Amino acid sequence: MDNYIGMNISESIKGTTRFQQLYEAVIKYSEDMTIFLLQKPLAIYTERDYYEYGILLVIPNKAIYLLDCGDDLDLFEDYCEDIIDDLNSLITEKYPQYFGVLGRKREWSKLIQRISEIPTRDQINTISDKAEQRKIDLISSLCIGSINELKDFDKSLLSKSSLSTLESIKNRIILFDTDQTRFIYEDKSNKKIIRVQGLAGSGKTELLLHKIRQIFVSDDTARIAVTCFNRVLADSLKVRVVDFFNRMKVSEQITDTRLFIAHSWGSRNNSTSGLYARICTYYKIPFQPFSRIKSSKEIWRDAIQYLKKQSFEPMFDYLFIDEGQDFDTEFIELCDMVTAKQVFIAGDVLQNIFSNNNIINYTDTDYVLSKVYRTDPRTLLFSHILGFGLFEPQAVRWLDDNEWELSGYNVTKVKNSLDEFVISRKMIKRFEINDGFENIVPITVCPEESLDTECITRNVTSIIAQIKAENPDVLAKDIAIIFTKYNENIWNKFAAYLGQELNIQFGWEYLLAPREKRTQLENEITITNINNVKGLEFPFVIVVANDDLYYINDRNVDIEVKKRNALYMALTRSFISSFLVIEKNEIAEVIEKLVDISILLHENEAKLTIQKPQNILKKDLLYGIQATLLKTQDEIIQECFDELELDSTTRAALRSMLRPIRIIAEGTTNKDIIMAKIKEVYSTYIR
């Protein structure tokens, strides 16, 4: 039943014989088709007076039907006209980007079939015209509320019988699957905390935006808060929410009282700088800065106890937490206390392979988004194997059967074996590629004896030449080169030289991120580092593992686990293919094994036989690792400023004083070093 959804269907229609027959047919069809049964388009938020026995049957990429489950032909005709008129209003008034592709009502309405009998499987499968299929998907997206921007959609491609991989990606029509639709539109108002788990690329953040918008539009008095652990992500969310609301044509202006967006902490001197700061100001709770003396858990507990000692009213109606796996249970409890109606928590327990997964616990998860639409399933499996260190003497992690399953994997034990398992991932159709995945090489490993400037340049230019040969329409902006180690010397020695070579060979310009704080141009290839890639995505990524890997042991576990997590995150930024340029070093045997695995995954889809490692890192040690590698230097500096409780004027002055310091300019993310340098310049500043 994973591929079937019935949404907002009245009890009166469920009792009819016709609906029961339809339901039984749908169960059979949904084994290999996604099917939606609706009574009205989900993108219509306002109440409409529809014929109560009309059914909208939506089968993406196949057909859209209007079916009468009653016996009043006149009312059913009115129902059909109402549905088409409402869709037309969405197309012409609400989302005019659709009009540019679909045209006038008379052109697209004929694709919606009025039927008196339940269609057979053969009848459903008769639509072979690719242009019609794509238009049906666009209309389907309006029916199920999956609104597409279509800014760069090339209408001329509608007439093509097949699309290249890049054409499919750049002109993709995004449709919610059944799990995604349930999260946005299902009524769970009787439950206070709603938890959704999904891997990176499953659409969690986009779904949160849809849910936020739905509540914002449908309840004009709702007080909404949105938070996440990371300051950079919070700033990104602020921009994304505004852009999303503009795209969705939300007319009401966003204000802090209606929609507050900030990272989780903040500072004493600015009540809008973070959620905790806002809560402290509102309830007059003594603000405690982030410090090494007192853990975040203790600070959240203090706030909870303060509130419990007084009578108080919730300050928010709805609260959304993105990247919920980064938070303590105490923080969730505090959020629950200050929220009147519902708290939504979205998390990815595998985003950080060392993260504690207590927050998104499996028994309490309401929605599991196990399908990943960005990254090829084979690349995802490879990245988990590398991240978990499953072919090393000591592995980082092994999931139990339930964890594998909820992460979108099928796991079966090999017969007559105690420790061998077949782990596989379903090959879902992510784009309109006729031949499926057969011609896509998802992951390529390029092993080298050493990664000097010449070797890196040779590998990267060779990979790009291959990408261009296989994808003639590729642009510079479609490719990202990600270095796993970052400092000023790397940029001078590798990145800038590589950029110049790319210009000579391909005529492309290059953007060095994060050194250049500007928007990427179409003719620019991005050259970046692991600290600045989270949240980004490209058709192709080339990961240069210039930070040597070593076998994990008790002395280096903190560093090596972070390196593997960094590789996992970097490799999963791709839509089509990822390339790993890596030095053999100490783990040459493992790297050769990774080469073999990459070939197997291409030949055998996302399926591998894996022996469970005998030595696995202890969970208490694993969960104790802090994800400092994935914090930018700016975030860490800000963290230190918060601990020292510095005002905005002092912070601005100290930033100017820090920039020339060599180790800061080289990009260190070591918090101890950064804090020491801040204290040095601060002592100079106050003199």
Side-chain angles (χ1 to χ4, degrees), residues 281-300:
T281 302
Y282 190 88
Y283 294 110
K284 296 181 172 53
I285 301 172
F287 180 92
Q288 300 182 71
F290 186 90
S291 77
R292 303 183 187 193
I293 300 172
K294 206 166 195 178
S295 70
S296 59
K297 282 178 174 283
E298 292 175 296
I299 293 173
W300 308 139

Side-chain angles (χ1 to χ4, degrees), residues 117-135:
E117 299 294 332
I118 298 168
T120 65
R121 183 182 294 273
D122 290 341
Q123 289 171 325
I124 293 173
N125 287 322
T126 55
I127 301 174
S128 57
D129 184 89
K130 293 297 177 182
E132 284 195 2
Q133 286 183 1
R134 292 182 191 119
K135 287 184 178 181

Side-chain angles (χ1 to χ4, degrees), residues 581-595:
V581 181
I582 189 168
E583 188 174 304
K584 291 182 180 180
N585 196 22
E586 177 187 290
I587 60 169
E589 186 179 340
V590 172
I591 292 177
E592 292 299 334
K593 183 68 176 177
L594 292 174
V595 173

